[in-house]
Amino acid sequence: MANELLIFMVMVIVQFGFAGLIIISKLVMDEGMNPFVQSAYRPIFATLSIAPFAFFFERKTRPKMTRPILFQIFLCSIFGITTNQYAYFIGLKYSTATIASALDNLIPAFTFIIAVPLGIEKLGLRSTAGQIKFVGTIVCVGGAMLLSLYHGKVVIGQLGFHWKYAESTGEDVNSVHSNFFLGPFLLIMSSLTYAIWLIIQGRVNSKYAAQYTSITLMCLMASVESVIIGFCVVPKLSEWTLNPIKAISVIYNGVVGTSFIFFLSSWCMEKKGPYMSPCSIRCY
């Protein structure tokens, strides 16, 4: 019971980390920070923050690295960070923090849909647990799609500090960065790629018992990938400069939103499997 409670608390902590990532990222992109620049800085700070843990805690215990495991870690960098963050940050730029948070609820649904054919999860419609998973998947997909595609009256407006910050930069947060098709579509794609990462990372955890090292390698690979893509899309060095709020954003997203959250997610997957990752707390 104590172990189950600990896993649940870790899941909740991860959601707080995600919430901070969404809010601060939306804030700096409304100011004008390019999402490709944001995405390039994120894995760099993630690598710098988690590499010391890999060195000091696993240098004597890490198992031998094999080519299949290294390739799986490479796939994790592609799906879990590079592709995922580009889809997420660009989608967030053209959407809202509320819609981004709602569409994250698709992650456990996508994970379940992928895991069943691969034999990682069982459908089990004859059991109560299987029926709950099936109904929960339908509800979370339907709810996320309804919130993202239906645009009714505004119930809760922008936060006061968000308004003041946007006004100081000359931006209109409701008109400049809004695309009700592109934004949600990219956010859905980010949920799909994150679900793929959960499946692959679960296999890495089962074969390579050195989570700090695997996440460090994943972030390092993603840093190279993201910087190359970022400079191809945004070649002007002036757009890579960081003012205080941008620096806070990329450091937070790297340290908390990537290395810290990925480590906790991997730990939860090791204990409960990919379907019951921290993302699943949003629906189940």
Side-chain angles (χ1 to χ4, degrees), residues 108-109 132-138 140 275-276 280-284:
I132 292 174
K133 288 182 180 180
F134 182 75
V135 173
T137 299
I138 295 176
C140 97
Y275 184 65
M276 290 305 294
S280 304
I281 193 65
R282 296 164 181 160
C283 299
Y284 302 99

Side-chain angles (χ1 to χ4, degrees), residues 160-255:
F161 77 90
H162 194 178
W163 273 116
K164 293 179 181 179
Y165 189 77
E167 288 172 358
S168 68
T169 59
E171 297 279 2
D172 183 347
V173 295
N174 284 328
S175 62
V176 176
H177 303 309
S178 60
N179 187 316
F180 291 134
F181 173 78
L182 179 62
F185 173 76
L186 290 175
L187 290 170
I188 291 172
M189 291 298 100
S190 75
S191 295
L192 177 60
T193 56
Y194 196 88
I196 295 173
W197 171 77
L198 289 173
I199 299 296
I200 301 174
Q201 185 64 38
R203 295 179 64 88
V204 172
N205 289 345
S206 64
K207 297 180 179 180
Y208 191 74
Q211 292 185 15
Y212 287 120
T213 301
S214 65
I215 294 175
T216 299
L217 290 173
M218 178 178 66
C219 292
L220 180 60
M221 292 177 183
S223 298
V224 177
E225 298 158 5
S226 299
V227 168
I228 292 174
I229 296 173
F231 272 109
C232 289
V233 178
V234 188
K236 293 183 179 179
L237 292 178
S238 59
E239 296 194 41
W240 290 77
T241 57
L242 299 175
N243 59 24
I245 188 63
K246 289 181 180 180
I248 292 173
S249 174
V250 296
I251 293 174
Y252 177 90
N253 290 347
V255 177

